[in-house]
Amino acid sequence: QVIKCKAAVLWEANKPFSIEEIEVAPPKEHEVRIKIMATGICRTDDHVITGAMVMPFPIILGHEAAGVVESVGQGVTSVKPGDKVIPLFVPQCGECKNCLNTKGNLCIKTDLGTSAGLMSDGTTRFTCKGKAIHHFLGTSTFTEYTVLHESAVAKIDSAAPLEKVCVIGCGFSTGYGAALQTAKVEPGSTCAVFGLGGVGLSVIMGCKVAGASRIIAVDINSDKFAKAKELGATDCINPKDFNKPIHEVLTEMTGGGVDYSFEVIGRTETMTAALACCQYNYGVSVIVGVPPAAQKITFDPLLLFTGRSWKGSIFGGWKSKDAVPKLVADYMKKKFVLDPLITHTLPLTKINEGFDLLRTGK
């Protein structure tokens, strides 16, 4: 059965979302159709609007959500109608090189980097006004119903509050895992976190859980400092308050640089600053923010030659289908909080207001 429902469609770049009635096709073999109950707004969605991340239009964005399985296609075994689930923008097929390697998590089935915006058979499950609408990262959650490949769906605890655990679909897991999985922050270490949005705050939570003794939060918006401190930051600094480069400020504050730094913004200048502020011999810097398309980084190779490590992290290094149900279980056991990451709750029809709140740092 084709389902007619509401969705926020982006017809072209740099324009507001338009709330449309769309048709959602039934799931094909190994696909799952989900009723989305809650979805978060992530800066990565905004990158598509501004063109910093190149995707085909028209498109239904959104990749951080939670919902309930409505129907399943042939051959689907891991979920059934009625199950509570979280969509996975990094799927886990369990068969590719990255899924089989203990160190890897970026499944080959992801749409990240290919930006095709289609299901694995090269077609889409969305139509609006007779036009095919593209999928985003194999998830597309800014709609009442969506279709995903079975490898991109994680079944979670049926008691989990979907309006909270939806952030485990991207923001929380990405930041928390960057600290715990990618950097492997050690007890007693010193960390610097650039960017205090939802993901940056989640990095702070991860550093705290790992036992870091000093967590320095860096942002040009000082309004974000109170929440950063509440979640574990020991120091908060605004680069605008200094007349020297921020990496020099951090190096002086820590007597030679931090053990771990995290860039959680997606700007090339802060990526190089985060690298430069970590200890010159054994410091580790992790890129968490999505880099802008067509921009290159220029840096002095001596920064790496002396021993620093520069790493990237996608979805916090978690193997998605395995990790997401466990993270939800940890949330249910109160091992971490999610409420501070949720500042506003709006209906889908007010999605443009939600993006305005994101852009104004609220």
Side-chain angles (χ1 to χ4, degrees), residues 18 41 95 166 225 269 335 338:
S18 126
I41 290 177
E95 293 158 11
C166 60
F225 292 168
E269 314 89 281
K335 288 196 182 170
L338 294 174

Side-chain angles (χ1 to χ4, degrees), residues 14 135 191 255 272 292 329:
N14 295 304
H135 294 250
C191 304
T272 35

Side-chain angles (χ1 to χ4, degrees), residues 12-331:
E12 51 185 309
N14 295 304
K15 288 272 162 58
F17 290 91
S18 126
I19 303 293
E20 306 277 6
E21 182 181 81
I22 63 160
E23 291 87 47
V24 183
K28 295 191 179 178
E29 198 175 1
H30 293 297
E31 291 177 359
V32 181
R33 188 161 60 183
I34 288 169
K35 180 174 190 181
I36 297 288
M37 306 304 283
T39 182
I41 290 177
C42 174
R43 179 67 77 176
T44 307
D45 303 303
D46 194 46
H47 286 333
V48 179
I49 302 170
T50 61
M53 186 175 185
V54 181
M55 288 284 163
F57 294 98
I59 192 166
I60 293 173
L61 296 177
H63 62 282
E64 175 183 281
V68 176
V69 175
E70 176 272 333
S71 58
V72 299
Q74 234 182 322
V76 171
T77 53
S78 60
V79 291
K80 61 185 185 309
D83 284 349
K84 282 192 179 179
V85 292
I86 286 181
L88 309 169
F89 72 91
V90 172
Q92 188 183 345
C93 71
E95 293 158 11
C96 71
K97 226 173 179 172
N98 296 355
C99 281
L100 292 171
N101 190 304
T102 53
K103 295 185 240 175
N105 78 318
L106 187 56
C107 175
I108 197 153
K109 282 212 161 98
T110 181
D111 197 23
L112 205 73
T114 64
S115 69
L118 301 166
M119 296 299 279
S120 50
D121 66 352
T123 64
T124 161
R125 303 289 167 269
F126 301 126
T127 39
C128 180
K129 299 176 179 168
K131 286 200 179 83
I133 309 288
H134 291 89
H135 294 250
F136 177 55
L137 301 183
T139 47
S140 290
T141 61
F142 292 165
T143 165
E144 293 175 321
Y145 288 88
T146 189
V147 177
L148 305 102
H149 191 272
E150 183 182 14
S151 62
V153 180
K155 181 183 169 178
I156 60 166
D157 181 344
S158 62
L162 299 183
E163 74 286 359
K164 309 262 194 245
V165 298
C166 60
V167 298
I168 291 175
C170 175
F172 173 75
S173 308
T174 296
Y176 194 65
L180 294 174
Q181 298 268 118
T182 309
K184 297 189 166 53
V185 171
E186 293 141 334
S189 57
T190 301
C191 304
V193 181
F194 288 70
L196 303 176
V199 185
L201 293 172
S202 303
V203 173
I204 290 173
M205 286 195 250
C207 292
K208 188 182 175 181
V209 164
S213 59
R214 198 170 179 196
I215 302 167
I216 305 166
V218 185
D219 203 299
I220 54 171
N221 178 355
S222 299
D223 294 347
K224 302 201 167 192
F225 292 168
K227 197 168 268 190
K229 286 210 157 135
E230 179 195 326
L231 291 172
T234 54
D235 310 67
C236 293
I237 58 173
N238 188 329
K240 289 177 170 171
D241 296 342
F242 301 91
N243 41 22
K244 60 172 136 190
I246 193 66
H247 71 270
E248 289 180 16
V249 175
L250 285 158
T251 305
E252 279 171 27
M253 271 176 79
T254 54
V258 299
D259 299 307
Y260 301 97
S261 67
F262 301 86
E263 199 281 353
V264 206
I265 304 162
R267 295 176 66 96
T268 51
E269 314 89 281
T270 34
M271 288 173 188
T272 35
L275 178 68
C277 83
C278 73
Q279 209 276 350
Y280 70 92
N281 181 213
Y282 51 77
V284 175
S285 187
V286 182
I287 293 176
V288 189
V290 176
Q295 282 196 22
K296 301 283 177 269
I297 288 187
T298 309
F299 69 102
D300 180 351
L302 199 64
L303 283 169
L304 292 178
F305 174 73
T306 55
R308 282 183 185 87
S309 308
W310 213 354
K311 290 181 156 190
S313 179
I314 284 205
F315 194 58
W318 305 107
K319 286 192 186 283
S320 58
K321 220 170 153 96
D322 294 344
V324 163
K326 288 183 187 147
L327 288 166
V328 170
D330 282 351
Y331 169 72

